[in-house]
Amino acid sequence: MDKVSPEYNYVVTAHRPTAVTHALTCSFTGSSDRNLILAKSTYIEVKLITSEGLLPLIDIPLYGRIASMLAFRPSRSAKRDQIFICTERHGICVLEYDPVSRKIVTKMSGSARQRSCRPVESEDGPLGLLDPDHGIIGLYLFEGIFQYLKINPRDGKMSSRPFKMRLEELKVISMCFLKGQSKPALAVLYSDSQNLVFLKTYAINLREESLERGPWREIVAVETGASKLIPMGRPFGGVLVVGSESIAYIDSKRRIDTKINATRIECWGAIDRDRFLFGDIDGKLMMAIIRHDGKEVRGLQIEEHLGITTKASTLTYLDNAYAFVGSVAGDSQLIQLLSEKSDETGSYLREVERYINLGPILDFCVVDL
């Protein structure tokens, strides 16, 4: 009697991830190149921005799901940017492109995991932030703990184990580095036990590895629906506080609030120093324009009806009025911003290209064919 061979199941990923969780632009493959870097779960895609569109260059597989991605220039003499990655399991690494071998080189790898600490559970998940003025990468991965990595300005090297500091605030919503400060300064958006939301600043003492009183002496109460902080460049040095019903500019001297229609802002992207794109939960695209006299911010102008895109998880401005809309909940898009309203669509957007996304997959089953 013949023996019946046992059955084995072989499970393999049949299709690469297509949902875009993070995106940024930098000069990764060359000093004169303009690259679009896309994070898709366990993959990174590197594209070259050209006049003919987005040209695929490199696909980088990673062991871990990407939680945060940053691009930075490692030293003053460096001609290309490097990419910092933090995974959902708190692994960290720095990737660099070698133009000679045309391969990706891992410059640093390590772990930011903290034992007996509770991971953050905010809407934006783990936070990664960059202070290019002082060469610091900040991480907020665990409640009440701020971690940072110092980049050596001479050779671009950094430690594989971050330093940590204690935060008084446990319910951190968002944070960013303040620009134009004499020493590293941190702006923290948090909520208290009564679910009221406040903005507070800290100064980072690198020598003592501690947080000190920030450059803004007062703790500022903001809208309870505030969810994001956007740092403003020089000479302003303030932040935009993005809420569900308003967008406010706040610095050490003034505060300017501008009302918007009630919504939830999912992501933002900077066009330049004065203009910012926002995507909300319904796929509506809006723009905030900073009005200033060259030294101080005088007002905010909000354009709320640019058009409709897929529900964006990331917005990245490319160049020459083109922007990339990355999405987890739908197809990603390459769009063009128009100076006048289109007669066909009735919006200030034109879709140039669409990138198919299989997600979100809510359920599936395996069947015999």
Side-chain angles (χ1 to χ4, degrees), residues 3 7 12 51 66 103 105 110 115 120 194 226 260 262 271 306 312 333 343 345 347 349 357 360 363:
K3 293 182 179 180
E7 294 184 358
V12 65
S51 58
I66 299 169
K103 294 182 179 180
V105 179
R115 294 183 179 180
V120 296
Q194 299 179 346
I260 61 173
I271 297 178
L306 294 184
Q333 297 171 294
D343 296 332
T345 62
S347 70
L349 306 178
N357 176 21
D363 192 14

PDB file of all heavy atoms in Angstrom, residues 3 7 12 51 66 103 105 110 115 120 194 226 260 262 271 306 312 333 343 345 347 349 357 360 363:
ATOM      1  N   LYS A   3       2.250   4.897   0.646  1.00  0.00           N
ATOM      2  CA  LYS A   3       2.100   5.870   1.714  1.00  0.00           C
ATOM      3  C   LYS A   3       1.582   7.194   1.150  1.00  0.00           C
ATOM      4  O   LYS A   3       1.978   7.609   0.076  1.00  0.00           O
ATOM      5  CB  LYS A   3       3.435   6.106   2.400  1.00  0.00           C
ATOM      6  CG  LYS A   3       3.934   4.885   3.174  1.00  0.00           C
ATOM      7  CD  LYS A   3       5.238   5.222   3.877  1.00  0.00           C
ATOM      8  CE  LYS A   3       5.731   4.034   4.681  1.00  0.00           C
ATOM      9  NZ  LYS A   3       7.003   4.347   5.389  1.00  0.00           N
ATOM     10  N   GLU A   7       0.892  16.732   3.656  1.00  0.00           N
ATOM     11  CA  GLU A   7       0.651  18.017   3.003  1.00  0.00           C
ATOM     12  C   GLU A   7       1.389  19.119   3.772  1.00  0.00           C
ATOM     13  O   GLU A   7       1.423  19.121   4.991  1.00  0.00           O
ATOM     14  CB  GLU A   7      -0.839  18.325   2.961  1.00  0.00           C
ATOM     15  CG  GLU A   7      -1.632  17.371   2.077  1.00  0.00           C
ATOM     16  CD  GLU A   7      -3.095  17.773   1.990  1.00  0.00           C
ATOM     17  OE1 GLU A   7      -3.456  18.771   2.670  1.00  0.00           O
ATOM     18  OE2 GLU A   7      -3.849  17.109   1.272  1.00  0.00           O
ATOM     19  N   VAL A  12       3.908  32.686   1.333  1.00  0.00           N
ATOM     20  CA  VAL A  12       4.891  33.654   0.857  1.00  0.00           C
ATOM     21  C   VAL A  12       4.170  34.912   0.397  1.00  0.00           C
ATOM     22  O   VAL A  12       3.007  34.852  -0.017  1.00  0.00           O
ATOM     23  CB  VAL A  12       5.721  33.067  -0.313  1.00  0.00           C
ATOM     24  CG1 VAL A  12       4.844  32.813  -1.518  1.00  0.00           C
ATOM     25  CG2 VAL A  12       6.892  33.980  -0.681  1.00  0.00           C
ATOM     26  N   SER A  51      11.997  65.692 -15.577  1.00  0.00           N
ATOM     27  CA  SER A  51      10.987  66.471 -16.294  1.00  0.00           C
ATOM     28  C   SER A  51       9.939  65.580 -16.947  1.00  0.00           C
ATOM     29  O   SER A  51       8.853  66.036 -17.291  1.00  0.00           O
ATOM     30  CB  SER A  51      11.661  67.342 -17.358  1.00  0.00           C
ATOM     31  OG  SER A  51      12.404  66.524 -18.263  1.00  0.00           O
ATOM     32  N   ILE A  66       8.429  50.122   8.635  1.00  0.00           N
ATOM     33  CA  ILE A  66       8.961  51.473   8.856  1.00  0.00           C
ATOM     34  C   ILE A  66       7.967  52.294   9.667  1.00  0.00           C
ATOM     35  O   ILE A  66       6.802  52.424   9.308  1.00  0.00           O
ATOM     36  CB  ILE A  66       9.244  52.155   7.510  1.00  0.00           C
ATOM     37  CG1 ILE A  66      10.288  51.347   6.725  1.00  0.00           C
ATOM     38  CG2 ILE A  66       9.722  53.584   7.720  1.00  0.00           C
ATOM     39  CD1 ILE A  66      10.446  51.766   5.294  1.00  0.00           C
ATOM     40  N   LYS A 103      25.089  50.498  -4.912  1.00  0.00           N
ATOM     41  CA  LYS A 103      24.416  49.689  -3.906  1.00  0.00           C
ATOM     42  C   LYS A 103      24.159  50.527  -2.653  1.00  0.00           C
ATOM     43  O   LYS A 103      24.743  51.592  -2.470  1.00  0.00           O
ATOM     44  CB  LYS A 103      25.250  48.453  -3.555  1.00  0.00           C
ATOM     45  CG  LYS A 103      25.394  47.461  -4.692  1.00  0.00           C
ATOM     46  CD  LYS A 103      26.196  46.238  -4.249  1.00  0.00           C
ATOM     47  CE  LYS A 103      26.320  45.219  -5.372  1.00  0.00           C
ATOM     48  NZ  LYS A 103      27.107  44.026  -4.955  1.00  0.00           N
ATOM     49  N   VAL A 105      24.453  51.095   1.297  1.00  0.00           N
ATOM     50  CA  VAL A 105      25.376  50.769   2.381  1.00  0.00           C
ATOM     51  C   VAL A 105      24.718  51.149   3.710  1.00  0.00           C
ATOM     52  O   VAL A 105      24.186  52.254   3.849  1.00  0.00           O
ATOM     53  CB  VAL A 105      26.711  51.517   2.227  1.00  0.00           C
ATOM     54  CG1 VAL A 105      27.649  51.194   3.380  1.00  0.00           C
ATOM     55  CG2 VAL A 105      27.351  51.175   0.886  1.00  0.00           C
ATOM     56  N   GLY A 110      21.262  49.828  14.980  1.00  0.00           N
ATOM     57  CA  GLY A 110      21.197  49.673  16.425  1.00  0.00           C
ATOM     58  C   GLY A 110      19.769  49.534  16.879  1.00  0.00           C
ATOM     59  O   GLY A 110      18.873  49.171  16.095  1.00  0.00           O
ATOM     60  N   ARG A 115      13.504  48.933  27.878  1.00  0.00           N
ATOM     61  CA  ARG A 115      12.795  47.912  28.635  1.00  0.00           C
ATOM     62  C   ARG A 115      11.858  48.536  29.662  1.00  0.00           C
ATOM     63  O   ARG A 115      12.125  49.599  30.210  1.00  0.00           O
ATOM     64  CB  ARG A 115      13.796  47.000  29.348  1.00  0.00           C
ATOM     65  CG  ARG A 115      14.656  46.177  28.389  1.00  0.00           C
ATOM     66  CD  ARG A 115      15.580  45.253  29.166  1.00  0.00           C
ATOM     67  NE  ARG A 115      16.390  44.431  28.271  1.00  0.00           N
ATOM     68  CZ  ARG A 115      17.280  43.533  28.680  1.00  0.00           C
ATOM     69  NH1 ARG A 115      17.481  43.352  29.986  1.00  0.00           N
ATOM     70  NH2 ARG A 115      17.962  42.831  27.800  1.00  0.00           N
ATOM     71  N   VAL A 120       4.393  54.468  22.670  1.00  0.00           N
ATOM     72  CA  VAL A 120       3.413  55.527  22.441  1.00  0.00           C
ATOM     73  C   VAL A 120       2.233  54.977  21.647  1.00  0.00           C
ATOM     74  O   VAL A 120       2.370  54.063  20.838  1.00  0.00           O
ATOM     75  CB  VAL A 120       4.038  56.718  21.696  1.00  0.00           C
ATOM     76  CG1 VAL A 120       5.116  57.358  22.528  1.00  0.00           C
ATOM     77  CG2 VAL A 120       4.589  56.294  20.343  1.00  0.00           C
ATOM     78  N   GLN A 194      -7.361  66.276  31.938  1.00  0.00           N
ATOM     79  CA  GLN A 194      -8.701  66.740  31.587  1.00  0.00           C
ATOM     80  C   GLN A 194      -8.887  66.882  30.086  1.00  0.00           C
ATOM     81  O   GLN A 194      -9.849  67.495  29.629  1.00  0.00           O
ATOM     82  CB  GLN A 194      -8.973  68.083  32.275  1.00  0.00           C
ATOM     83  CG  GLN A 194      -8.929  67.998  33.799  1.00  0.00           C
ATOM     84  CD  GLN A 194      -9.179  69.340  34.455  1.00  0.00           C
ATOM     85  OE1 GLN A 194      -9.140  70.388  33.795  1.00  0.00           O
ATOM     86  NE2 GLN A 194      -9.440  69.326  35.751  1.00  0.00           N
ATOM     87  N   ALA A 226      -6.155  70.060  18.434  1.00  0.00           N
ATOM     88  CA  ALA A 226      -4.825  70.219  17.833  1.00  0.00           C
ATOM     89  C   ALA A 226      -4.126  68.870  17.741  1.00  0.00           C
ATOM     90  O   ALA A 226      -4.151  68.078  18.692  1.00  0.00           O
ATOM     91  CB  ALA A 226      -3.988  71.199  18.648  1.00  0.00           C
ATOM     92  N   ILE A 260     -10.803  77.342  10.312  1.00  0.00           N
ATOM     93  CA  ILE A 260     -11.045  76.519   9.124  1.00  0.00           C
ATOM     94  C   ILE A 260     -12.321  75.730   9.351  1.00  0.00           C
ATOM     95  O   ILE A 260     -12.820  75.631  10.492  1.00  0.00           O
ATOM     96  CB  ILE A 260      -9.865  75.540   8.852  1.00  0.00           C
ATOM     97  CG1 ILE A 260      -9.674  74.586  10.038  1.00  0.00           C
ATOM     98  CG2 ILE A 260      -8.591  76.307   8.571  1.00  0.00           C
ATOM     99  CD1 ILE A 260      -8.653  73.493   9.785  1.00  0.00           C
ATOM    100  N   ALA A 262     -14.566  72.624  10.063  1.00  0.00           N
ATOM    101  CA  ALA A 262     -14.266  71.498  10.943  1.00  0.00           C
ATOM    102  C   ALA A 262     -13.891  70.258  10.135  1.00  0.00           C
ATOM    103  O   ALA A 262     -14.641  69.825   9.247  1.00  0.00           O
ATOM    104  CB  ALA A 262     -15.472  71.204  11.833  1.00  0.00           C
ATOM    105  N   ILE A 271       5.670  73.456   0.777  1.00  0.00           N
ATOM    106  CA  ILE A 271       6.040  73.855  -0.581  1.00  0.00           C
ATOM    107  C   ILE A 271       7.323  74.684  -0.531  1.00  0.00           C
ATOM    108  O   ILE A 271       8.275  74.441  -1.259  1.00  0.00           O
ATOM    109  CB  ILE A 271       4.897  74.650  -1.243  1.00  0.00           C
ATOM    110  CG1 ILE A 271       3.647  73.769  -1.386  1.00  0.00           C
ATOM    111  CG2 ILE A 271       5.339  75.192  -2.603  1.00  0.00           C
ATOM    112  CD1 ILE A 271       2.457  74.496  -1.976  1.00  0.00           C
ATOM    113  N   LEU A 306      -8.746  73.522  -2.756  1.00  0.00           N
ATOM    114  CA  LEU A 306      -7.885  73.305  -3.916  1.00  0.00           C
ATOM    115  C   LEU A 306      -8.393  72.159  -4.780  1.00  0.00           C
ATOM    116  O   LEU A 306      -8.245  72.185  -6.004  1.00  0.00           O
ATOM    117  CB  LEU A 306      -6.455  73.009  -3.461  1.00  0.00           C
ATOM    118  CG  LEU A 306      -5.694  74.146  -2.764  1.00  0.00           C
ATOM    119  CD1 LEU A 306      -4.276  73.705  -2.467  1.00  0.00           C
ATOM    120  CD2 LEU A 306      -5.694  75.411  -3.611  1.00  0.00           C
ATOM    121  N   ALA A 312      -4.979  61.109   1.827  1.00  0.00           N
ATOM    122  CA  ALA A 312      -3.524  61.126   1.861  1.00  0.00           C
ATOM    123  C   ALA A 312      -2.989  60.717   3.227  1.00  0.00           C
ATOM    124  O   ALA A 312      -3.531  61.121   4.268  1.00  0.00           O
ATOM    125  CB  ALA A 312      -3.003  62.515   1.500  1.00  0.00           C
ATOM    126  N   GLN A 333      -0.979  59.289  -5.890  1.00  0.00           N
ATOM    127  CA  GLN A 333      -1.135  60.140  -7.066  1.00  0.00           C
ATOM    128  C   GLN A 333       0.049  61.094  -7.227  1.00  0.00           C
ATOM    129  O   GLN A 333       0.633  61.547  -6.233  1.00  0.00           O
ATOM    130  CB  GLN A 333      -2.413  60.977  -6.954  1.00  0.00           C
ATOM    131  CG  GLN A 333      -3.708  60.191  -6.920  1.00  0.00           C
ATOM    132  CD  GLN A 333      -4.882  61.101  -6.598  1.00  0.00           C
ATOM    133  OE1 GLN A 333      -4.976  61.641  -5.504  1.00  0.00           O
ATOM    134  NE2 GLN A 333      -5.771  61.268  -7.565  1.00  0.00           N
ATOM    135  N   ASP A 343     -11.606  74.074 -15.847  1.00  0.00           N
ATOM    136  CA  ASP A 343     -12.999  74.050 -16.287  1.00  0.00           C
ATOM    137  C   ASP A 343     -13.574  72.638 -16.256  1.00  0.00           C
ATOM    138  O   ASP A 343     -14.786  72.456 -16.057  1.00  0.00           O
ATOM    139  CB  ASP A 343     -13.120  74.623 -17.709  1.00  0.00           C
ATOM    140  CG  ASP A 343     -12.735  76.088 -17.765  1.00  0.00           C
ATOM    141  OD1 ASP A 343     -12.889  76.773 -16.731  1.00  0.00           O
ATOM    142  OD2 ASP A 343     -12.261  76.540 -18.832  1.00  0.00           O
ATOM    143  N   THR A 345     -12.629  69.942 -14.148  1.00  0.00           N
ATOM    144  CA  THR A 345     -12.789  69.375 -12.808  1.00  0.00           C
ATOM    145  C   THR A 345     -13.320  70.360 -11.778  1.00  0.00           C
ATOM    146  O   THR A 345     -13.797  69.962 -10.720  1.00  0.00           O
ATOM    147  CB  THR A 345     -11.441  68.810 -12.310  1.00  0.00           C
ATOM    148  OG1 THR A 345     -10.490  69.886 -12.231  1.00  0.00           O
ATOM    149  CG2 THR A 345     -10.919  67.754 -13.275  1.00  0.00           C
ATOM    150  N   SER A 347     -11.456  72.328 -10.050  1.00  0.00           N
ATOM    151  CA  SER A 347     -10.505  72.396  -8.941  1.00  0.00           C
ATOM    152  C   SER A 347      -9.183  72.967  -9.449  1.00  0.00           C
ATOM    153  O   SER A 347      -8.996  73.215 -10.646  1.00  0.00           O
ATOM    154  CB  SER A 347     -10.287  71.000  -8.350  1.00  0.00           C
ATOM    155  OG  SER A 347      -9.576  70.174  -9.252  1.00  0.00           O
ATOM    156  N   LEU A 349      -6.393  71.313  -9.204  1.00  0.00           N
ATOM    157  CA  LEU A 349      -5.528  70.151  -9.292  1.00  0.00           C
ATOM    158  C   LEU A 349      -5.699  69.454 -10.627  1.00  0.00           C
ATOM    159  O   LEU A 349      -6.772  69.477 -11.227  1.00  0.00           O
ATOM    160  CB  LEU A 349      -5.848  69.138  -8.177  1.00  0.00           C
ATOM    161  CG  LEU A 349      -5.844  69.630  -6.737  1.00  0.00           C
ATOM    162  CD1 LEU A 349      -6.243  68.488  -5.818  1.00  0.00           C
ATOM    163  CD2 LEU A 349      -4.489  70.184  -6.358  1.00  0.00           C
ATOM    164  N   ASN A 357      -2.839  50.931  -5.542  1.00  0.00           N
ATOM    165  CA  ASN A 357      -2.618  50.389  -4.199  1.00  0.00           C
ATOM    166  C   ASN A 357      -3.647  49.291  -3.951  1.00  0.00           C
ATOM    167  O   ASN A 357      -4.847  49.507  -4.116  1.00  0.00           O
ATOM    168  CB  ASN A 357      -2.760  51.507  -3.161  1.00  0.00           C
ATOM    169  CG  ASN A 357      -2.649  50.992  -1.746  1.00  0.00           C
ATOM    170  OD1 ASN A 357      -2.103  49.919  -1.494  1.00  0.00           O
ATOM    171  ND2 ASN A 357      -3.165  51.768  -0.795  1.00  0.00           N
ATOM    172  N   PRO A 360      -6.796  49.352   1.267  1.00  0.00           N
ATOM    173  CA  PRO A 360      -6.659  48.508   2.456  1.00  0.00           C
ATOM    174  C   PRO A 360      -7.392  47.168   2.289  1.00  0.00           C
ATOM    175  O   PRO A 360      -8.554  47.139   1.889  1.00  0.00           O
ATOM    176  CB  PRO A 360      -7.311  49.358   3.557  1.00  0.00           C
ATOM    177  CG  PRO A 360      -8.326  50.182   2.826  1.00  0.00           C
ATOM    178  CD  PRO A 360      -7.766  50.449   1.460  1.00  0.00           C
ATOM    179  N   ASP A 363     -10.059  41.804   4.641  1.00  0.00           N
ATOM    180  CA  ASP A 363     -10.179  40.389   4.960  1.00  0.00           C
ATOM    181  C   ASP A 363      -9.806  39.578   3.726  1.00  0.00           C
ATOM    182  O   ASP A 363      -9.856  40.076   2.599  1.00  0.00           O
ATOM    183  CB  ASP A 363     -11.614  40.054   5.392  1.00  0.00           C
ATOM    184  CG  ASP A 363     -11.720  38.667   6.020  1.00  0.00           C
ATOM    185  OD1 ASP A 363     -10.665  38.095   6.360  1.00  0.00           O
ATOM    186  OD2 ASP A 363     -12.848  38.159   6.182  1.00  0.00           O
TER     187      ASP A 363
END
